[in-house]
Amino acid sequence: MIEVHELSKTYGGSQWAVRDVSFSVARGEVVGFLGPNGAGKSTTLRIVAGFLGATSGRVRVAGHDIVEQPMKARAAMGYMPEAVPLYPELRVEEYLRYRAELKGVARSARRSAVGRAMELARVADHASYPIGHLSKGYRQRVGLADALVASPPILILDEPTAGLDPNQIREVRDLVRELGRDHAVLLSTHILPEVEASCDRAVVIAKGRLVASGKLDELSRLRRARALRVVVDAPSLDAARALLAGLGDVGEVRREGDALTVTWKASVDDTAAAVEPLARALVAAGIGLREVSPVRASLEEVFVELTRGAAAGAPDAEATP
């Protein structure tokens, strides 16, 4: 449904906002689009949505080239930008009817389309409120309803939960998962638990370049385990902790319930090879060793590892010239 091929965008001919980025989103999946500030996320989404031209590369939306067939491509998508442009003097339902008309929703279907969008975005109880009187969270919901009002097969959502409270965030996550059954959803967010809760796959960019793409468990395996879970006989727990803390490759040892979590020093490159000397030391000390297992990297750890150094000293890739 969304095909991005070697997409690049420069400002002034020398500042790269996006460089040779390729990815796809199929119907029936939700793809998280991740990256630190200035990575090029919003620039990429604007290009995919047809609001910004690319320097090179190609984007196809629902089989339509975004440059050669822009109206057909845009008709197939609902786009929610991070800063939703709204008319504060209009009431919620009035605004959505206006947007439905602009998007070509048939007159006979507008009332039901607007009602459905308001129900999905949880703003039906504020249908008669002037948009200017709404909180930021409710304005975000109106923007989401706008993206949904024409029932497009593709949704592009840039930070859809910005400004929402925890209950509202949970509702949006549930909605995104629901929409992902029948739509192609491309979701940009800084909230990593949101990706874990809502997305099937993730695309990670840094400094305008693609650094990783795949299912969340596949991305976790890209990062070497920097921690180890060690279980020993309960009476030996404190002795094991003291022994491990003195090993040269060990940076920190924490007690977590009936187990120890060992974190390797940053200088340790081959963490797998460091496990054997650790186990030998415990056995040689007469400590009953029950379990040694790597701690699975969280998505946050994966994100930090993949984008390390991208934020420090990087140009503001998403700034407009």
Side-chain angles (χ1 to χ4, degrees), residues 140-164:
Q140 285 291 107
R141 294 202 208 184
V142 174
L144 181 57
D146 183 356
L148 295 168
V149 74
S151 299
I154 297 168
L155 292 171
I156 300 174
L157 310 177
D158 193 356
E159 303 285 351
T161 59
L164 302 185

Side-chain angles (χ1 to χ4, degrees), residues 60-78:
R60 295 181 66 85
V61 177
H64 305 296
D65 188 285
I66 195 67
V67 175
E68 298 174 358
Q69 299 172 298
M71 298 307 294
K72 290 183 178 179
R74 290 185 187 183
M77 75 176 88

Side-chain angles (χ1 to χ4, degrees), residues 2-189:
I2 300 175
E3 299 172 50
V4 178
H5 181 65
E6 295 184 354
L7 186 68
S8 295
K9 176 66 177 178
T10 61
Y11 292 123
S14 59
Q15 183 180 356
W16 292 91
V18 181
R19 190 165 188 171
D20 298 326
V21 170
S22 299
F23 64 89
S24 64
V25 184
R27 182 188 289 273
E29 70 173 350
V30 182
V31 174
F33 196 49
L34 305 177
N37 289 333
K41 298 188 306 301
S42 291
T43 297
T44 302
L45 295 189
R46 291 181 193 130
I47 294 172
V48 173
F51 289 91
L52 185 66
T55 302
S56 63
R58 187 165 188 168
V59 176
R60 295 181 66 85
V61 177
H64 305 296
D65 188 285
I66 195 67
V67 175
E68 298 174 358
Q69 299 172 298
M71 298 307 294
K72 290 183 178 179
R74 290 185 187 183
M77 75 176 88
Y79 172 51
M80 178 184 173
E82 182 178 0
V84 182
L86 301 170
Y87 294 104
E89 69 277 9
L90 295 183
R91 299 181 187 277
V92 172
E93 186 173 8
E94 182 183 13
Y95 169 76
L96 292 174
R97 284 186 183 179
Y98 166 67
R99 293 292 293 163
E101 180 180 359
L102 287 181
K103 294 182 178 188
V105 178
R107 182 186 295 272
S108 60
R110 282 176 203 160
R111 183 180 293 275
S112 61
V114 169
R116 175 181 176 276
M118 289 193 298
E119 288 291 340
L120 286 172
R122 311 294 194 268
V123 292
D125 56 341
H126 284 63
S128 61
Y129 281 51
I131 292 174
H133 294 179
L134 299 177
S135 67
K136 181 180 178 181
Y138 267 98
R139 291 197 298 271
Q140 285 291 107
R141 294 202 208 184
V142 174
L144 181 57
D146 183 356
L148 295 168
V149 74
S151 299
I154 297 168
L155 292 171
I156 300 174
L157 310 177
D158 193 356
E159 303 285 351
T161 59
L164 302 185
D165 64 37
N167 289 330
Q168 294 168 341
I169 289 174
R170 189 176 298 112
E171 290 176 355
V172 171
R173 287 177 183 171
D174 292 342
L175 174 59
V176 169
R177 283 198 301 269
E178 179 183 339
L179 292 170
R181 297 171 188 165
D182 301 311
H183 297 70
V185 182
L186 180 59
L187 169 70
S188 171
T189 180

